[in-house]
């Protein structure tokens, strides 16, 4: 029903920038909450940023002022612009879609894209 395809990961030096993209299939994107999660080596997966269907964004404290989440409902895409990257930003980044049908909640995940920041 929903497929999420990510792109934009790579390796950069500290202080550099990357832009991650998530392309969604299906008809529910425009009414869903979208999230970016990341998982560093040896750590649990954590929420980095989220954006509502109407474009209201929330960020983890450690990325505020550096990362910007956005979405284009006409194109079924979401992006994460990452600036001033730090080595501790290194990890696998995952696109996540949340939706609700009736009283049932559903979640969908992308395959993940690797971000590596060197000092």
């Amino acid at each position: 029903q929903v497929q999420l395809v990510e792109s934009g990961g790579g390796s950069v030096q500290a202080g550099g920038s990357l832009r991650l993209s998530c392309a969604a299939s299906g008809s529910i994107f425009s009414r869903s909450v979208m999230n970016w999660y990341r998982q560093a080596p040896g750590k649990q997966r954590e929420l980095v940023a989220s954006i509502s269907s109407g474009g209201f964004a929330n960020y983890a404290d450690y990325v505020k002022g550096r990362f910007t989440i956005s979405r284009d409902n006409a194109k079924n895409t979401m992006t994460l612009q990452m600036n001033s990257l730090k080595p501790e930003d290194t990890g696998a980044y995952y696109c996540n879609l949340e939706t609700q049908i009736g009283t049932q909640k559903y979640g969908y995940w992308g395959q993940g894209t690797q971000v590596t920041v060197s000092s």
Side-chain angles (χ1 to χ4, degrees):
Q1 182 178 6
V2 176
Q3 291 288 124
L4 304 174
V5 180
E6 302 169 348
S7 61
S11 298
V12 297
Q13 295 286 327
S17 297
L18 285 173
R19 180 180 293 167
L20 307 184
S21 296
C22 174
S25 66
S27 62
I28 65 173
F29 177 88
S30 62
R31 57 183 185 271
S32 66
V33 172
M34 298 296 296
N35 308 290
W36 286 102
Y37 285 80
R38 74 184 182 191
Q39 188 166 18
K43 305 295 184 181
Q44 64 183 0
R45 192 169 298 183
E46 61 187 3
L47 180 65
V48 176
S50 63
I51 186 166
S52 72
S53 61
F56 184 83
N58 285 295
Y59 301 91
D61 286 343
Y62 47 81
V63 305
K64 287 181 178 178
R66 299 189 297 121
F67 291 10
T68 303
I69 188 172
S70 61
R71 67 190 296 161
D72 187 337
N73 287 340
K75 297 181 178 179
N76 277 18
T77 58
M78 176 181 65
T79 64
L80 184 68
Q81 178 66 45
M82 304 185 295
N83 299 324
S84 301
L85 283 161
K86 304 175 180 179
E88 51 263 44
D89 294 319
T90 293
Y93 284 70
Y94 297 88
C95 177
N96 168 256
L97 180 151
E98 300 176 15
T99 191
Q100 183 170 330
I101 302 175
T103 60
Q104 296 292 325
K105 294 184 177 180
Y106 301 87
Y108 300 89
W109 294 89
Q111 79 285 356
T113 185
Q114 180 67 36
V115 171
T116 302
V117 184
S118 59
S119 60

